[in-house]
Amino acid sequence: MVESMILLLATNLVIILACMTLLWLVSLVIKDASIVDSFWGPGFVIVTWSTFAQTQGFLDRNILVSVLVTLWGMRLFLHIFTRNLGRGEDYRYIEMRQKHGSRFPLVSYFTIFLFQGILMLIIASSVQISQLSTLPDHWTWTDFIGAAVWLSGFYFEAVGDWQLRRFLADQGNRGKVMDRGLWALTRHPNYFGEAVMWWGVFIIAAPLQYGFVTIISPLLITFLLLRVSGVTLLEKGMMKKNPAYARYVETTSSFVPWFKERSGK
Protein backbone atom coordinates (compact mmCIF):
# COMPACT_ATOMS: atom_id res chain seq x y z
CA MET A 1 0.00 0.00 0.00
CA VAL A 2 2.93 2.35 0.61
CA GLU A 3 3.88 2.41 -3.07
CA SER A 4 0.26 3.04 -4.07
CA MET A 5 0.04 5.84 -1.51
CA ILE A 6 3.18 7.54 -2.81
CA LEU A 7 1.97 7.29 -6.41
CA LEU A 8 -1.46 8.64 -5.46
CA LEU A 9 -0.04 11.59 -3.53
CA ALA A 10 2.44 12.39 -6.30
CA THR A 11 -0.26 12.31 -8.97
CA ASN A 12 -2.59 14.50 -6.95
CA LEU A 13 0.26 16.89 -6.20
CA VAL A 14 0.94 17.36 -9.91
CA ILE A 15 -2.77 17.85 -10.64
CA ILE A 16 -3.41 20.38 -7.89
CA LEU A 17 -0.23 22.37 -8.58
CA ALA A 18 -1.16 22.50 -12.27
CA CYS A 19 -4.58 23.84 -11.29
CA MET A 20 -3.07 26.44 -8.98
CA THR A 21 -0.60 27.52 -11.66
CA LEU A 22 -3.43 27.99 -14.16
CA LEU A 23 -5.42 29.91 -11.56
CA TRP A 24 -2.39 32.11 -10.88
CA LEU A 25 -2.07 32.92 -14.58
CA VAL A 26 -5.73 33.94 -14.66
CA SER A 27 -5.17 36.16 -11.61
CA LEU A 28 -2.37 37.96 -13.46
CA VAL A 29 -4.65 38.65 -16.41
CA ILE A 30 -7.55 39.97 -14.34
CA LYS A 31 -5.26 41.53 -11.69
CA ASP A 32 -7.14 39.93 -8.82
CA ALA A 33 -5.58 37.29 -6.57
CA SER A 34 -8.85 36.93 -4.65
CA ILE A 35 -9.98 34.20 -7.06
CA VAL A 36 -7.83 31.82 -5.04
CA ASP A 37 -10.36 32.08 -2.19
CA SER A 38 -13.21 30.83 -4.38
CA PHE A 39 -11.07 27.86 -5.47
CA TRP A 40 -10.55 26.56 -1.91
CA GLY A 41 -13.60 24.28 -2.02
CA PRO A 42 -13.31 23.14 -5.67
CA GLY A 43 -9.64 22.33 -5.13
CA PHE A 44 -10.61 19.65 -2.61
CA VAL A 45 -13.30 18.36 -4.96
CA ILE A 46 -10.66 17.88 -7.67
CA VAL A 47 -8.34 16.03 -5.30
CA THR A 48 -11.22 13.87 -4.08
CA TRP A 49 -12.43 12.74 -7.50
CA SER A 50 -8.88 12.32 -8.76
CA THR A 51 -8.38 9.95 -5.84
CA PHE A 52 -11.68 8.19 -6.59
CA ALA A 53 -10.52 7.52 -10.16
CA GLN A 54 -7.15 6.11 -9.04
CA THR A 55 -8.13 3.88 -6.12
CA GLN A 56 -9.77 0.49 -5.61
CA GLY A 57 -11.01 0.87 -2.03
CA PHE A 58 -14.44 -0.12 -0.69
CA LEU A 59 -16.67 1.51 -3.32
CA ASP A 60 -19.52 2.52 -1.00
CA ARG A 61 -17.12 4.27 1.39
CA ASN A 62 -15.33 5.97 -1.50
CA ILE A 63 -18.64 7.29 -2.83
CA LEU A 64 -19.67 8.50 0.64
CA VAL A 65 -16.45 10.46 1.18
CA SER A 66 -16.48 11.86 -2.36
CA VAL A 67 -20.09 13.04 -2.08
CA LEU A 68 -19.52 14.65 1.32
CA VAL A 69 -16.48 16.61 0.14
CA THR A 70 -18.22 17.61 -3.09
CA LEU A 71 -21.26 18.94 -1.24
CA TRP A 72 -19.04 20.98 1.05
CA GLY A 73 -16.66 22.20 -1.66
CA MET A 74 -19.26 23.33 -4.18
CA ARG A 75 -21.48 25.00 -1.55
CA LEU A 76 -18.46 26.90 -0.28
CA PHE A 77 -17.49 27.88 -3.82
CA LEU A 78 -20.94 29.30 -4.55
CA HIS A 79 -20.98 31.15 -1.23
CA ILE A 80 -17.57 32.78 -1.63
CA PHE A 81 -17.92 33.45 -5.37
CA THR A 82 -21.29 35.20 -5.08
CA ARG A 83 -20.16 37.08 -1.96
CA ASN A 84 -17.01 38.42 -3.64
CA LEU A 85 -18.57 39.13 -7.04
CA GLY A 86 -17.99 42.76 -7.95
CA ARG A 87 -16.19 43.60 -4.69
CA GLY A 88 -12.71 43.80 -6.18
CA GLU A 89 -9.53 42.34 -4.75
CA ASP A 90 -9.41 41.46 -1.05
CA TYR A 91 -7.52 43.92 1.16
CA ARG A 92 -4.99 41.22 2.12
CA TYR A 93 -3.79 40.89 -1.45
CA ILE A 94 -3.91 44.64 -2.03
CA GLU A 95 -1.55 45.08 0.92
CA MET A 96 0.73 42.41 -0.53
CA ARG A 97 0.77 44.21 -3.89
CA GLN A 98 1.78 47.44 -2.22
CA LYS A 99 4.45 45.71 -0.16
CA HIS A 100 6.10 43.71 -2.95
CA GLY A 101 5.48 45.98 -5.92
CA SER A 102 6.75 44.48 -9.18
CA ARG A 103 7.71 41.28 -7.35
CA PHE A 104 4.11 40.58 -6.37
CA PRO A 105 3.29 38.20 -9.29
CA LEU A 106 6.15 35.85 -8.39
CA VAL A 107 5.63 36.21 -4.64
CA SER A 108 1.91 35.50 -5.00
CA TYR A 109 2.61 32.38 -7.04
CA PHE A 110 4.61 30.75 -4.25
CA THR A 111 3.09 32.23 -1.08
CA ILE A 112 -0.57 32.27 -2.11
CA PHE A 113 -1.28 29.83 -4.93
CA LEU A 114 1.27 27.04 -4.58
CA PHE A 115 1.20 27.22 -0.78
CA GLN A 116 -2.58 26.88 -0.76
CA GLY A 117 -2.30 23.91 -3.10
CA ILE A 118 0.08 22.16 -0.69
CA LEU A 119 -2.29 22.85 2.20
CA MET A 120 -5.15 21.32 0.21
CA LEU A 121 -3.20 18.13 -0.37
CA ILE A 122 -2.27 17.79 3.31
CA ILE A 123 -5.75 18.56 4.62
CA ALA A 124 -7.22 16.13 2.08
CA SER A 125 -4.99 13.32 3.37
CA SER A 126 -7.90 11.68 5.18
CA VAL A 127 -9.93 11.79 1.96
CA GLN A 128 -7.15 10.12 0.02
CA ILE A 129 -6.29 7.42 2.56
CA SER A 130 -9.93 6.54 3.19
CA GLN A 131 -10.40 5.81 -0.51
CA LEU A 132 -7.08 4.01 -0.97
CA SER A 133 -7.61 1.43 1.76
CA THR A 134 -9.25 -1.77 0.52
CA LEU A 135 -10.06 -3.12 3.99
CA PRO A 136 -12.45 -3.36 5.64
CA ASP A 137 -14.55 -3.94 2.52
CA HIS A 138 -17.81 -3.24 4.33
CA TRP A 139 -19.49 -0.50 6.35
CA THR A 140 -18.15 0.10 9.87
CA TRP A 141 -19.60 2.00 12.81
CA THR A 142 -16.93 4.70 12.31
CA ASP A 143 -18.29 5.37 8.81
CA PHE A 144 -21.68 6.25 10.26
CA ILE A 145 -20.26 8.24 13.18
CA GLY A 146 -17.94 10.15 10.86
CA ALA A 147 -20.79 10.95 8.47
CA ALA A 148 -22.96 12.15 11.38
CA VAL A 149 -20.16 14.40 12.67
CA TRP A 150 -19.66 15.73 9.15
CA LEU A 151 -23.36 16.53 8.81
CA SER A 152 -23.36 18.49 12.07
CA GLY A 153 -20.39 20.51 10.83
CA PHE A 154 -22.03 21.11 7.46
CA TYR A 155 -25.12 22.41 9.26
CA PHE A 156 -23.12 24.92 11.27
CA GLU A 157 -21.16 26.18 8.27
CA ALA A 158 -24.02 26.35 5.76
CA VAL A 159 -26.66 27.74 8.12
CA GLY A 160 -24.16 30.10 9.74
CA ASP A 161 -23.18 31.56 6.34
CA TRP A 162 -26.85 31.86 5.33
CA GLN A 163 -27.81 33.63 8.56
CA LEU A 164 -24.93 36.09 8.27
CA ARG A 165 -25.70 36.88 4.63
CA ARG A 166 -29.34 37.63 5.48
CA PHE A 167 -28.24 39.83 8.39
CA LEU A 168 -25.81 41.83 6.25
CA ALA A 169 -28.37 42.25 3.47
CA ASP A 170 -30.70 44.11 5.85
CA GLN A 171 -29.79 47.82 5.73
CA GLY A 172 -31.25 48.22 9.20
CA ASN A 173 -28.42 46.12 10.64
CA ARG A 174 -25.63 48.48 9.58
CA GLY A 175 -23.24 49.00 12.47
CA LYS A 176 -24.80 46.18 14.46
CA VAL A 177 -23.17 42.90 15.48
CA MET A 178 -24.61 39.62 14.24
CA ASP A 179 -25.48 37.78 17.47
CA ARG A 180 -28.55 35.80 16.47
CA GLY A 181 -29.22 32.20 15.52
CA LEU A 182 -26.05 30.10 15.53
CA TRP A 183 -24.07 33.31 16.02
CA ALA A 184 -25.52 33.53 19.53
CA LEU A 185 -23.77 30.26 20.39
CA THR A 186 -20.40 30.91 18.77
CA ARG A 187 -18.78 33.93 17.15
CA HIS A 188 -17.72 31.74 14.22
CA PRO A 189 -20.24 28.98 13.48
CA ASN A 190 -19.00 28.70 9.89
CA TYR A 191 -15.37 28.17 10.91
CA PHE A 192 -16.40 25.76 13.66
CA GLY A 193 -18.51 23.84 11.15
CA GLU A 194 -15.66 23.53 8.66
CA ALA A 195 -13.32 22.15 11.31
CA VAL A 196 -15.96 19.66 12.49
CA MET A 197 -16.49 18.41 8.92
CA TRP A 198 -12.82 17.52 8.58
CA TRP A 199 -12.90 15.77 11.95
CA GLY A 200 -15.81 13.77 10.56
CA VAL A 201 -13.85 12.68 7.50
CA PHE A 202 -10.91 11.75 9.75
CA ILE A 203 -13.18 9.55 11.87
CA ILE A 204 -14.07 7.65 8.69
CA ALA A 205 -10.41 7.24 7.75
CA ALA A 206 -8.96 6.64 11.24
CA PRO A 207 -9.51 2.86 11.60
CA LEU A 208 -8.30 2.11 8.06
CA GLN A 209 -4.72 1.22 7.17
CA TYR A 210 -2.49 4.26 7.88
CA GLY A 211 -5.66 6.22 8.61
CA PHE A 212 -4.43 7.38 12.02
CA VAL A 213 -1.67 9.37 10.29
CA THR A 214 -4.29 11.59 8.69
CA ILE A 215 -5.10 13.23 12.01
CA ILE A 216 -2.87 15.96 10.60
CA SER A 217 -5.85 16.88 8.41
CA PRO A 218 -8.33 18.06 11.09
CA LEU A 219 -5.52 19.35 13.32
CA LEU A 220 -4.13 21.54 10.54
CA ILE A 221 -7.47 22.98 9.40
CA THR A 222 -8.51 23.65 13.01
CA PHE A 223 -5.21 25.45 13.66
CA LEU A 224 -5.53 27.51 10.48
CA LEU A 225 -9.11 28.51 11.28
CA LEU A 226 -8.30 29.42 14.88
CA ARG A 227 -4.87 31.03 14.59
CA VAL A 228 -4.08 32.01 11.01
CA SER A 229 -6.71 32.83 8.38
CA GLY A 230 -9.89 32.53 10.40
CA VAL A 231 -10.81 33.69 13.88
CA THR A 232 -7.65 35.66 14.72
CA LEU A 233 -7.46 37.53 11.42
CA LEU A 234 -11.17 38.37 11.26
CA GLU A 235 -11.55 39.46 14.87
CA LYS A 236 -8.51 41.71 14.67
CA GLY A 237 -10.30 43.74 12.01
CA MET A 238 -13.72 43.56 13.68
CA MET A 239 -12.46 44.96 16.98
CA LYS A 240 -11.10 47.98 15.12
CA LYS A 241 -14.18 48.62 12.97
CA ASN A 242 -16.94 48.03 15.51
CA PRO A 243 -16.57 48.87 19.23
CA ALA A 244 -19.78 46.90 19.94
CA TYR A 245 -17.95 43.75 18.90
CA ALA A 246 -16.00 43.83 22.18
CA ARG A 247 -19.24 43.24 24.10
CA TYR A 248 -20.03 40.32 21.81
CA VAL A 249 -16.58 38.86 22.51
CA GLU A 250 -17.18 39.07 26.26
CA THR A 251 -20.41 37.10 26.17
CA THR A 252 -20.07 34.62 23.29
CA SER A 253 -17.81 31.61 22.79
CA SER A 254 -15.14 32.22 20.16
CA PHE A 255 -15.33 28.82 18.48
CA VAL A 256 -17.08 25.89 20.18
CA PRO A 257 -20.83 26.61 20.54
CA TRP A 258 -21.90 27.38 24.10
CA PHE A 259 -24.47 29.35 26.04
CA LYS A 260 -24.00 33.09 26.33
CA GLU A 261 -22.19 34.38 29.40
CA ARG A 262 -23.42 37.34 31.39
CA SER A 263 -21.10 40.31 31.55
CA GLY A 264 -21.09 42.52 34.62
CA LYS A 265 -19.78 45.44 32.65
Side-chain angles (χ1 to χ4, degrees):
M1 181 173 171
V2 174
E3 291 182 359
S4 299
M5 188 189 309
I6 293 174
L7 178 60
L8 173 66
L9 292 174
T11 302
N12 285 344
L13 176 62
V14 171
I15 290 173
I16 203 64
L17 292 187
C19 290
M20 299 309 288
T21 298
L22 179 61
L23 195 67
W24 170 70
L25 292 173
V26 173
S27 78
L28 297 183
V29 173
I30 66 176
K31 295 181 174 58
D32 186 353
S34 297
I35 59 174
V36 73
D37 297 335
S38 296
F39 190 72
W40 181 249
F44 284 96
V45 176
I46 290 172
V47 172
T48 298
W49 287 104
S50 169
T51 302
F52 185 88
Q54 297 177 65
T55 55
Q56 302 294 323
F58 176 50
L59 181 60
D60 290 353
R61 182 180 298 113
N62 289 9
I63 292 175
L64 171 66
V65 170
S66 299
V67 169
L68 294 182
V69 175
T70 301
L71 284 174
W72 164 75
M74 298 316 297
R75 188 215 68 86
L76 187 63
F77 163 72
L78 290 173
H79 171 70
I80 296 177
F81 179 78
T82 55
R83 182 193 66 188
N84 293 349
L85 196 62
R87 293 175 60 178
E89 191 169 48
D90 187 273
Y91 75 93
R92 295 169 296 166
Y93 307 124
I94 293 177
E95 291 178 354
M96 286 187 66
R97 285 184 185 277
Q98 295 172 343
K99 178 180 179 180
H100 297 288
S102 61
R103 295 176 57 248
F104 175 76
L106 190 60
V107 171
S108 69
Y109 180 59
F110 287 99
T111 64
I112 298 175
F113 291 87
L114 290 192
F115 180 63
Q116 184 161 303
I118 297 297
L119 286 178
M120 285 179 187
L121 205 64
I122 296 173
I123 295 170
S125 60
S126 54
V127 174
Q128 297 170 88
I129 294 301
S130 65
Q131 296 192 71
L132 182 63
S133 181
T134 57
L135 296 174
D137 58 352
H138 55 79
W139 291 112
T140 67
W141 60 272
T142 51
D143 293 324
F144 297 106
I145 292 177
V149 170
W150 184 93
L151 284 171
S152 67
F154 186 75
Y155 172 81
F156 267 88
E157 183 178 67
V159 175
D161 282 338
W162 174 72
Q163 289 177 340
L164 180 60
R165 177 165 288 197
R166 286 190 64 194
F167 177 83
L168 295 176
D170 186 343
Q171 298 297 319
N173 290 327
R174 285 191 176 275
K176 297 180 181 179
V177 175
M178 172 52 166
D179 59 357
R180 311 166 192 172
L182 296 180
W183 298 81
L185 302 175
T186 165
R187 302 199 298 273
H188 303 281
N190 46 358
Y191 294 152
F192 170 76
E194 183 160 340
V196 168
M197 279 187 282
W198 286 108
W199 281 102
V201 177
F202 166 70
I203 290 172
I204 294 174
L208 307 179
Q209 191 174 13
Y210 298 109
F212 67 93
V213 176
T214 68
I215 194 172
I216 189 175
S217 168
L219 286 176
L220 178 56
I221 190 64
T222 302
F223 172 76
L224 291 174
L225 291 171
L226 279 172
R227 301 300 180 188
V228 182
S229 62
V231 175
T232 301
L233 181 64
L234 181 62
E235 295 208 330
K236 183 179 179 181
M238 287 297 296
M239 295 290 280
K240 291 181 179 179
K241 291 192 299 183
N242 193 342
Y245 196 78
R247 165 72 176 179
Y248 182 53
V249 169
E250 291 178 358
T251 60
T252 310
S253 171
S254 64
F255 197 66
V256 178
W258 194 248
F259 301 105
K260 276 188 172 294
E261 297 179 6
R262 291 184 178 275
S263 175
K265 295 182 181 180

XYZ file of all heavy atoms in Angstrom, residues 32 80-89:
89
model
N -6.369 40.187 -10.035
C -7.142 39.933 -8.816
C -6.771 38.557 -8.263
O -7.194 37.524 -8.796
C -8.639 40.000 -9.122
C -9.492 39.901 -7.868
O -8.924 39.645 -6.777
O -10.728 40.073 -7.973
N -18.668 31.811 -1.535
C -17.571 32.778 -1.633
C -17.613 33.529 -2.959
O -17.406 34.750 -3.006
C -16.207 32.073 -1.461
C -16.099 31.485 -0.049
C -15.058 33.042 -1.728
C -14.815 30.708 0.195
N -17.898 32.815 -4.047
C -17.916 33.446 -5.369
C -18.988 34.522 -5.445
O -18.727 35.642 -5.906
C -18.154 32.387 -6.448
C -18.205 32.956 -7.841
C -17.039 33.305 -8.505
C -19.430 33.156 -8.482
C -17.094 33.838 -9.798
C -19.486 33.685 -9.755
C -18.317 34.030 -10.421
N -20.201 34.212 -5.015
C -21.289 35.199 -5.080
C -21.056 36.333 -4.086
O -21.433 37.475 -4.349
C -22.651 34.532 -4.809
O -22.606 33.837 -3.544
C -22.979 33.536 -5.905
N -20.443 36.039 -2.954
C -20.162 37.078 -1.964
C -19.123 38.067 -2.481
O -19.223 39.286 -2.254
C -19.659 36.434 -0.671
C -19.371 37.407 0.460
C -18.591 36.741 1.565
N -17.256 36.351 1.126
C -16.414 35.610 1.837
N -16.798 35.136 3.018
N -15.208 35.311 1.378
N -18.102 37.567 -3.184
C -17.005 38.416 -3.644
C -17.268 39.058 -4.996
O -16.505 39.946 -5.408
C -15.717 37.600 -3.729
C -15.213 37.160 -2.364
O -15.707 37.625 -1.335
N -14.238 36.267 -2.343
N -18.309 38.624 -5.693
C -18.569 39.126 -7.040
C -18.747 40.643 -7.045
O -19.593 41.197 -6.361
C -19.841 38.455 -7.589
C -20.064 38.551 -9.097
C -18.931 37.840 -9.837
C -21.405 37.920 -9.462
N -17.900 41.314 -7.809
C -17.986 42.760 -7.949
C -17.360 43.559 -6.826
O -17.398 44.799 -6.852
N -16.764 42.887 -5.835
C -16.192 43.603 -4.694
C -14.731 43.984 -4.902
O -14.168 44.731 -4.105
C -16.302 42.739 -3.434
C -17.726 42.518 -2.985
C -17.830 41.570 -1.812
N -17.109 42.039 -0.643
C -17.081 41.398 0.523
N -17.745 40.244 0.647
N -16.423 41.878 1.542
N -14.109 43.490 -5.953
C -12.705 43.803 -6.176
C -11.795 42.913 -5.349
O -12.247 42.027 -4.622
N -10.513 43.177 -5.431
C -9.533 42.339 -4.753
C -9.579 42.530 -3.240
O -9.770 43.638 -2.737
C -8.122 42.658 -5.268
C -7.069 41.675 -4.821
C -5.750 41.868 -5.545
O -5.284 43.030 -5.620
O -5.179 40.872 -6.024
